[in-house]
PDB file of all heavy atoms in Angstrom:
ATOM      1  N   HIS H   1      -3.009   5.793   5.427  1.00 98.00           N
ATOM      2  CA  HIS H   1      -4.433   5.856   5.098  1.00 98.00           C
ATOM      3  C   HIS H   1      -4.823   4.642   4.256  1.00 98.00           C
ATOM      4  O   HIS H   1      -5.507   3.752   4.721  1.00 98.00           O
ATOM      5  CB  HIS H   1      -4.713   7.168   4.365  1.00 98.00           C
ATOM      6  CG  HIS H   1      -6.163   7.422   4.121  1.00 98.00           C
ATOM      7  ND1 HIS H   1      -6.613   8.452   3.315  1.00 98.00           N
ATOM      8  CD2 HIS H   1      -7.292   6.789   4.519  1.00 98.00           C
ATOM      9  CE1 HIS H   1      -7.933   8.435   3.268  1.00 98.00           C
ATOM     10  NE2 HIS H   1      -8.364   7.426   3.990  1.00 98.00           N
ATOM     11  N   TYR H   2      -4.365   4.595   3.018  1.00 98.00           N
ATOM     12  CA  TYR H   2      -4.644   3.446   2.163  1.00 98.00           C
ATOM     13  C   TYR H   2      -3.489   2.455   2.151  1.00 98.00           C
ATOM     14  O   TYR H   2      -3.610   1.365   1.591  1.00 98.00           O
ATOM     15  CB  TYR H   2      -4.947   3.901   0.740  1.00 98.00           C
ATOM     16  CG  TYR H   2      -6.351   4.468   0.593  1.00 98.00           C
ATOM     17  CD1 TYR H   2      -6.600   5.832   0.718  1.00 98.00           C
ATOM     18  CD2 TYR H   2      -7.446   3.639   0.353  1.00 98.00           C
ATOM     19  CE1 TYR H   2      -7.882   6.351   0.603  1.00 98.00           C
ATOM     20  CE2 TYR H   2      -8.726   4.136   0.227  1.00 98.00           C
ATOM     21  CZ  TYR H   2      -8.953   5.495   0.368  1.00 98.00           C
ATOM     22  OH  TYR H   2     -10.218   6.000   0.258  1.00 98.00           O
ATOM     23  N   SER H   3      -2.367   2.831   2.767  1.00 98.00           N
ATOM     24  CA  SER H   3      -1.192   1.968   2.828  1.00 98.00           C
ATOM     25  C   SER H   3      -0.777   1.776   4.278  1.00 98.00           C
ATOM     26  O   SER H   3      -1.221   2.497   5.170  1.00 98.00           O
ATOM     27  CB  SER H   3      -0.014   2.588   2.067  1.00 98.00           C
ATOM     28  OG  SER H   3      -0.294   2.708   0.693  1.00 98.00           O
ATOM     29  N   LYS H   4       0.116   0.831   4.522  1.00 97.00           N
ATOM     30  CA  LYS H   4       0.761   0.723   5.819  1.00 97.00           C
ATOM     31  C   LYS H   4       1.787   1.852   5.948  1.00 97.00           C
ATOM     32  O   LYS H   4       2.254   2.401   4.957  1.00 97.00           O
ATOM     33  CB  LYS H   4       1.433  -0.637   5.965  1.00 97.00           C
ATOM     34  CG  LYS H   4       0.451  -1.805   5.998  1.00 97.00           C
ATOM     35  CD  LYS H   4       1.156  -3.138   6.088  1.00 97.00           C
ATOM     36  CE  LYS H   4       0.137  -4.272   6.105  1.00 97.00           C
ATOM     37  NZ  LYS H   4       0.788  -5.603   6.132  1.00 97.00           N
ATOM     38  N   ALA H   5       2.119   2.179   7.173  1.00 97.00           N
ATOM     39  CA  ALA H   5       3.041   3.283   7.421  1.00 97.00           C
ATOM     40  C   ALA H   5       4.465   2.932   7.005  1.00 97.00           C
ATOM     41  O   ALA H   5       4.877   1.764   7.019  1.00 97.00           O
ATOM     42  CB  ALA H   5       3.022   3.645   8.911  1.00 97.00           C
ATOM     43  N   GLY H   6       5.208   3.957   6.599  1.00 96.00           N
ATOM     44  CA  GLY H   6       6.623   3.795   6.297  1.00 96.00           C
ATOM     45  C   GLY H   6       6.912   2.938   5.093  1.00 96.00           C
ATOM     46  O   GLY H   6       6.126   2.852   4.145  1.00 96.00           O
ATOM     47  N   ASP H   7       8.041   2.244   5.160  1.00 95.00           N
ATOM     48  CA  ASP H   7       8.500   1.432   4.025  1.00 95.00           C
ATOM     49  C   ASP H   7       7.540   0.287   3.688  1.00 95.00           C
ATOM     50  O   ASP H   7       7.503  -0.169   2.544  1.00 95.00           O
ATOM     51  CB  ASP H   7       9.895   0.865   4.313  1.00 95.00           C
ATOM     52  CG  ASP H   7      10.970   1.938   4.317  1.00 95.00           C
ATOM     53  OD1 ASP H   7      10.710   3.039   3.773  1.00 95.00           O
ATOM     54  OD2 ASP H   7      12.051   1.687   4.868  1.00 95.00           O
ATOM     55  N   ALA H   8       6.758  -0.164   4.671  1.00 96.00           N
ATOM     56  CA  ALA H   8       5.838  -1.274   4.428  1.00 96.00           C
ATOM     57  C   ALA H   8       4.753  -0.905   3.418  1.00 96.00           C
ATOM     58  O   ALA H   8       4.166  -1.773   2.791  1.00 96.00           O
ATOM     59  CB  ALA H   8       5.184  -1.720   5.732  1.00 96.00           C
ATOM     60  N   GLY H   9       4.497   0.398   3.231  1.00 96.00           N
ATOM     61  CA  GLY H   9       3.487   0.834   2.290  1.00 96.00           C
ATOM     62  C   GLY H   9       4.030   1.263   0.948  1.00 96.00           C
ATOM     63  O   GLY H   9       3.260   1.721   0.087  1.00 96.00           O
ATOM     64  N   TYR H  10       5.341   1.081   0.748  1.00 96.00           N
ATOM     65  CA  TYR H  10       5.988   1.579  -0.467  1.00 96.00           C
ATOM     66  C   TYR H  10       6.475   0.409  -1.322  1.00 96.00           C
ATOM     67  O   TYR H  10       7.128  -0.510  -0.826  1.00 96.00           O
ATOM     68  CB  TYR H  10       7.147   2.483  -0.083  1.00 96.00           C
ATOM     69  CG  TYR H  10       7.939   3.040  -1.242  1.00 96.00           C
ATOM     70  CD1 TYR H  10       7.347   3.854  -2.208  1.00 96.00           C
ATOM     71  CD2 TYR H  10       9.295   2.741  -1.383  1.00 96.00           C
ATOM     72  CE1 TYR H  10       8.070   4.366  -3.270  1.00 96.00           C
ATOM     73  CE2 TYR H  10      10.040   3.255  -2.443  1.00 96.00           C
ATOM     74  CZ  TYR H  10       9.423   4.074  -3.387  1.00 96.00           C
ATOM     75  OH  TYR H  10      10.146   4.572  -4.440  1.00 96.00           O
ATOM     76  N   GLN H  11       6.149   0.443  -2.616  1.00 96.00           N
ATOM     77  CA  GLN H  11       6.621  -0.558  -3.565  1.00 96.00           C
ATOM     78  C   GLN H  11       7.873   0.002  -4.231  1.00 96.00           C
ATOM     79  O   GLN H  11       7.810   0.726  -5.224  1.00 96.00           O
ATOM     80  CB  GLN H  11       5.538  -0.841  -4.612  1.00 96.00           C
ATOM     81  CG  GLN H  11       5.328  -2.302  -4.985  1.00 96.00           C
ATOM     82  CD  GLN H  11       6.508  -2.914  -5.750  1.00 96.00           C
ATOM     83  OE1 GLN H  11       7.620  -2.397  -5.781  1.00 96.00           O
ATOM     84  NE2 GLN H  11       6.258  -4.039  -6.376  1.00 96.00           N
ATOM     85  N   LYS H  12       9.033  -0.346  -3.675  1.00 95.00           N
ATOM     86  CA  LYS H  12      10.275   0.294  -4.101  1.00 95.00           C
ATOM     87  C   LYS H  12      10.658  -0.048  -5.546  1.00 95.00           C
ATOM     88  O   LYS H  12      11.328   0.739  -6.221  1.00 95.00           O
ATOM     89  CB  LYS H  12      11.413  -0.088  -3.168  1.00 95.00           C
ATOM     90  CG  LYS H  12      11.773  -1.562  -3.157  1.00 95.00           C
ATOM     91  CD  LYS H  12      12.911  -1.837  -2.191  1.00 95.00           C
ATOM     92  CE  LYS H  12      13.305  -3.310  -2.192  1.00 95.00           C
ATOM     93  NZ  LYS H  12      14.437  -3.597  -1.270  1.00 95.00           N
ATOM     94  N   TYR H  13      10.232  -1.181  -6.030  1.00 95.00           N
ATOM     95  CA  TYR H  13      10.596  -1.580  -7.391  1.00 95.00           C
ATOM     96  C   TYR H  13       9.803  -0.800  -8.439  1.00 95.00           C
ATOM     97  O   TYR H  13      10.257  -0.662  -9.577  1.00 95.00           O
ATOM     98  CB  TYR H  13      10.371  -3.087  -7.582  1.00 95.00           C
ATOM     99  CG  TYR H  13      11.163  -3.928  -6.620  1.00 95.00           C
ATOM    100  CD1 TYR H  13      10.549  -4.512  -5.514  1.00 95.00           C
ATOM    101  CD2 TYR H  13      12.538  -4.127  -6.796  1.00 95.00           C
ATOM    102  CE1 TYR H  13      11.269  -5.296  -4.632  1.00 95.00           C
ATOM    103  CE2 TYR H  13      13.264  -4.908  -5.910  1.00 95.00           C
ATOM    104  CZ  TYR H  13      12.635  -5.487  -4.822  1.00 95.00           C
ATOM    105  OH  TYR H  13      13.356  -6.243  -3.926  1.00 95.00           O
ATOM    106  N   TRP H  14       8.644  -0.338  -8.071  1.00 95.00           N
ATOM    107  CA  TRP H  14       7.779   0.385  -9.004  1.00 95.00           C
ATOM    108  C   TRP H  14       7.619   1.855  -8.649  1.00 95.00           C
ATOM    109  O   TRP H  14       6.896   2.578  -9.331  1.00 95.00           O
ATOM    110  CB  TRP H  14       6.389  -0.272  -9.051  1.00 95.00           C
ATOM    111  CG  TRP H  14       6.406  -1.693  -9.530  1.00 95.00           C
ATOM    112  CD1 TRP H  14       7.415  -2.342 -10.146  1.00 95.00           C
ATOM    113  CD2 TRP H  14       5.335  -2.638  -9.436  1.00 95.00           C
ATOM    114  NE1 TRP H  14       7.068  -3.628 -10.435  1.00 95.00           N
ATOM    115  CE2 TRP H  14       5.787  -3.853 -10.013  1.00 95.00           C
ATOM    116  CE3 TRP H  14       4.044  -2.582  -8.919  1.00 95.00           C
ATOM    117  CZ2 TRP H  14       4.997  -4.987 -10.090  1.00 95.00           C
ATOM    118  CZ3 TRP H  14       3.248  -3.730  -8.990  1.00 95.00           C
ATOM    119  CH2 TRP H  14       3.722  -4.922  -9.570  1.00 95.00           C
ATOM    120  N   ASP H  15       8.243   2.287  -7.550  1.00 95.00           N
ATOM    121  CA  ASP H  15       8.158   3.674  -7.086  1.00 95.00           C
ATOM    122  C   ASP H  15       6.708   4.104  -6.935  1.00 95.00           C
ATOM    123  O   ASP H  15       6.291   5.142  -7.455  1.00 95.00           O
ATOM    124  CB  ASP H  15       8.903   4.612  -8.044  1.00 95.00           C
ATOM    125  CG  ASP H  15       9.087   6.012  -7.448  1.00 95.00           C
ATOM    126  OD1 ASP H  15       9.145   6.124  -6.221  1.00 95.00           O
ATOM    127  OD2 ASP H  15       9.173   6.980  -8.224  1.00 95.00           O
ATOM    128  N   SER H  16       5.949   3.298  -6.221  1.00 97.00           N
ATOM    129  CA  SER H  16       4.534   3.572  -6.023  1.00 97.00           C
ATOM    130  C   SER H  16       4.125   3.057  -4.644  1.00 97.00           C
ATOM    131  O   SER H  16       4.935   2.485  -3.917  1.00 97.00           O
ATOM    132  CB  SER H  16       3.700   2.928  -7.132  1.00 97.00           C
ATOM    133  OG  SER H  16       3.950   1.528  -7.202  1.00 97.00           O
ATOM    134  N   MET H  17       2.870   3.253  -4.290  1.00 97.00           N
ATOM    135  CA  MET H  17       2.363   2.839  -2.989  1.00 97.00           C
ATOM    136  C   MET H  17       1.564   1.541  -3.142  1.00 97.00           C
ATOM    137  O   MET H  17       0.912   1.314  -4.161  1.00 97.00           O
ATOM    138  CB  MET H  17       1.461   3.923  -2.407  1.00 97.00           C
ATOM    139  CG  MET H  17       2.085   5.316  -2.376  1.00 97.00           C
ATOM    140  SD  MET H  17       3.659   5.386  -1.476  1.00 97.00           S
ATOM    141  CE  MET H  17       3.110   4.978   0.181  1.00 97.00           C
ATOM    142  N   ILE H  18       1.620   0.719  -2.096  1.00 97.00           N
ATOM    143  CA  ILE H  18       0.863  -0.534  -2.134  1.00 97.00           C
ATOM    144  C   ILE H  18      -0.199  -0.486  -1.046  1.00 97.00           C
ATOM    145  O   ILE H  18      -0.024   0.114   0.017  1.00 97.00           O
ATOM    146  CB  ILE H  18       1.790  -1.749  -1.956  1.00 97.00           C
ATOM    147  CG1 ILE H  18       1.064  -3.040  -2.338  1.00 97.00           C
ATOM    148  CG2 ILE H  18       2.362  -1.838  -0.548  1.00 97.00           C
ATOM    149  CD1 ILE H  18       1.958  -4.155  -2.771  1.00 97.00           C
ATOM    150  N   PHE H  19      -1.337  -1.073  -1.323  1.00 98.00           N
ATOM    151  CA  PHE H  19      -2.484  -1.019  -0.418  1.00 98.00           C
ATOM    152  C   PHE H  19      -2.265  -1.857   0.841  1.00 98.00           C
ATOM    153  O   PHE H  19      -1.548  -2.862   0.830  1.00 98.00           O
ATOM    154  CB  PHE H  19      -3.741  -1.527  -1.127  1.00 98.00           C
ATOM    155  CG  PHE H  19      -4.278  -0.590  -2.171  1.00 98.00           C
ATOM    156  CD1 PHE H  19      -4.035  -0.833  -3.522  1.00 98.00           C
ATOM    157  CD2 PHE H  19      -5.028   0.517  -1.818  1.00 98.00           C
ATOM    158  CE1 PHE H  19      -4.547   0.015  -4.496  1.00 98.00           C
ATOM    159  CE2 PHE H  19      -5.541   1.375  -2.784  1.00 98.00           C
ATOM    160  CZ  PHE H  19      -5.288   1.127  -4.116  1.00 98.00           C
ATOM    161  N   ASP H  20      -2.926  -1.439   1.908  1.00 98.00           N
ATOM    162  CA  ASP H  20      -3.006  -2.213   3.142  1.00 98.00           C
ATOM    163  C   ASP H  20      -4.265  -3.073   3.032  1.00 98.00           C
ATOM    164  O   ASP H  20      -5.364  -2.661   3.419  1.00 98.00           O
ATOM    165  CB  ASP H  20      -3.081  -1.281   4.351  1.00 98.00           C
ATOM    166  CG  ASP H  20      -3.144  -2.046   5.669  1.00 98.00           C
ATOM    167  OD1 ASP H  20      -3.197  -3.285   5.641  1.00 98.00           O
ATOM    168  OD2 ASP H  20      -3.133  -1.377   6.729  1.00 98.00           O
ATOM    169  N   TYR H  21      -4.117  -4.278   2.497  1.00 98.00           N
ATOM    170  CA  TYR H  21      -5.261  -5.110   2.144  1.00 98.00           C
ATOM    171  C   TYR H  21      -6.041  -5.619   3.357  1.00 98.00           C
ATOM    172  O   TYR H  21      -7.184  -6.070   3.208  1.00 98.00           O
ATOM    173  CB  TYR H  21      -4.802  -6.291   1.275  1.00 98.00           C
ATOM    174  CG  TYR H  21      -4.155  -5.838  -0.016  1.00 98.00           C
ATOM    175  CD1 TYR H  21      -2.771  -5.846  -0.157  1.00 98.00           C
ATOM    176  CD2 TYR H  21      -4.931  -5.377  -1.071  1.00 98.00           C
ATOM    177  CE1 TYR H  21      -2.177  -5.409  -1.331  1.00 98.00           C
ATOM    178  CE2 TYR H  21      -4.354  -4.946  -2.244  1.00 98.00           C
ATOM    179  CZ  TYR H  21      -2.957  -4.953  -2.374  1.00 98.00           C
ATOM    180  OH  TYR H  21      -2.374  -4.522  -3.526  1.00 98.00           O
ATOM    181  N   GLY H  22      -5.452  -5.542   4.539  1.00 97.00           N
ATOM    182  CA  GLY H  22      -6.134  -6.010   5.733  1.00 97.00           C
ATOM    183  C   GLY H  22      -6.916  -4.936   6.457  1.00 97.00           C
ATOM    184  O   GLY H  22      -7.571  -5.222   7.467  1.00 97.00           O
ATOM    185  N   LYS H  23      -6.881  -3.713   5.983  1.00 97.00           N
ATOM    186  CA  LYS H  23      -7.576  -2.592   6.624  1.00 97.00           C
ATOM    187  C   LYS H  23      -8.994  -2.489   6.078  1.00 97.00           C
ATOM    188  O   LYS H  23      -9.199  -2.476   4.860  1.00 97.00           O
ATOM    189  CB  LYS H  23      -6.803  -1.300   6.368  1.00 97.00           C
ATOM    190  CG  LYS H  23      -7.249  -0.114   7.193  1.00 97.00           C
ATOM    191  CD  LYS H  23      -6.292   1.053   6.962  1.00 97.00           C
ATOM    192  CE  LYS H  23      -6.639   2.247   7.832  1.00 97.00           C
ATOM    193  NZ  LYS H  23      -5.666   3.361   7.655  1.00 97.00           N
ATOM    194  N   GLY H  24      -9.981  -2.404   6.978  1.00 97.00           N
ATOM    195  CA  GLY H  24     -11.376  -2.459   6.543  1.00 97.00           C
ATOM    196  C   GLY H  24     -11.763  -1.433   5.520  1.00 97.00           C
ATOM    197  O   GLY H  24     -12.425  -1.734   4.525  1.00 97.00           O
ATOM    198  N   GLY H  25     -11.355  -0.173   5.715  1.00 98.00           N
ATOM    199  CA  GLY H  25     -11.711   0.888   4.777  1.00 98.00           C
ATOM    200  C   GLY H  25     -11.079   0.698   3.414  1.00 98.00           C
ATOM    201  O   GLY H  25     -11.677   1.057   2.387  1.00 98.00           O
ATOM    202  N   VAL H  26      -9.874   0.119   3.392  1.00 98.00           N
ATOM    203  CA  VAL H  26      -9.195  -0.148   2.120  1.00 98.00           C
ATOM    204  C   VAL H  26      -9.873  -1.308   1.394  1.00 98.00           C
ATOM    205  O   VAL H  26     -10.118  -1.242   0.189  1.00 98.00           O
ATOM    206  CB  VAL H  26      -7.707  -0.454   2.370  1.00 98.00           C
ATOM    207  CG1 VAL H  26      -7.006  -0.823   1.057  1.00 98.00           C
ATOM    208  CG2 VAL H  26      -7.009   0.733   3.027  1.00 98.00           C
ATOM    209  N   GLU H  27     -10.160  -2.353   2.133  1.00 98.00           N
ATOM    210  CA  GLU H  27     -10.881  -3.503   1.551  1.00 98.00           C
ATOM    211  C   GLU H  27     -12.213  -3.048   0.955  1.00 98.00           C
ATOM    212  O   GLU H  27     -12.570  -3.432  -0.163  1.00 98.00           O
ATOM    213  CB  GLU H  27     -11.128  -4.544   2.631  1.00 98.00           C
ATOM    214  CG  GLU H  27     -11.989  -5.727   2.190  1.00 98.00           C
ATOM    215  CD  GLU H  27     -12.552  -6.471   3.381  1.00 98.00           C
ATOM    216  OE1 GLU H  27     -13.509  -5.950   4.018  1.00 98.00           O
ATOM    217  OE2 GLU H  27     -12.045  -7.567   3.664  1.00 98.00           O
ATOM    218  N   HIS H  28     -12.941  -2.204   1.681  1.00 98.00           N
ATOM    219  CA  HIS H  28     -14.232  -1.703   1.213  1.00 98.00           C
ATOM    220  C   HIS H  28     -14.058  -0.874  -0.067  1.00 98.00           C
ATOM    221  O   HIS H  28     -14.852  -0.998  -1.009  1.00 98.00           O
ATOM    222  CB  HIS H  28     -14.876  -0.869   2.315  1.00 98.00           C
ATOM    223  CG  HIS H  28     -16.269  -0.414   1.998  1.00 98.00           C
ATOM    224  ND1 HIS H  28     -16.648   0.901   1.999  1.00 98.00           N
ATOM    225  CD2 HIS H  28     -17.387  -1.125   1.654  1.00 98.00           C
ATOM    226  CE1 HIS H  28     -17.928   0.993   1.691  1.00 98.00           C
ATOM    227  NE2 HIS H  28     -18.399  -0.214   1.470  1.00 98.00           N
TER     228      HIS H  28
END
């Protein structure tokens, strides 16, 4: 939804989720 699917949306060093900055709804 706000992240990419799977490991691409997970910030493993901080144990948190990272945004999908190229997705229109997220950018908005």
Side-chain angles (χ1 to χ4, degrees):
H1 187 189
Y2 283 93
S3 297
K4 294 178 180 177
D7 290 342
Y10 178 61
Q11 222 292 17
K12 64 180 181 179
Y13 301 103
W14 299 346
D15 192 28
S16 56
M17 308 304 295
I18 194 155
F19 288 102
D20 181 356
Y21 300 102
K23 191 173 184 178
V26 176
E27 174 198 75
H28 186 237

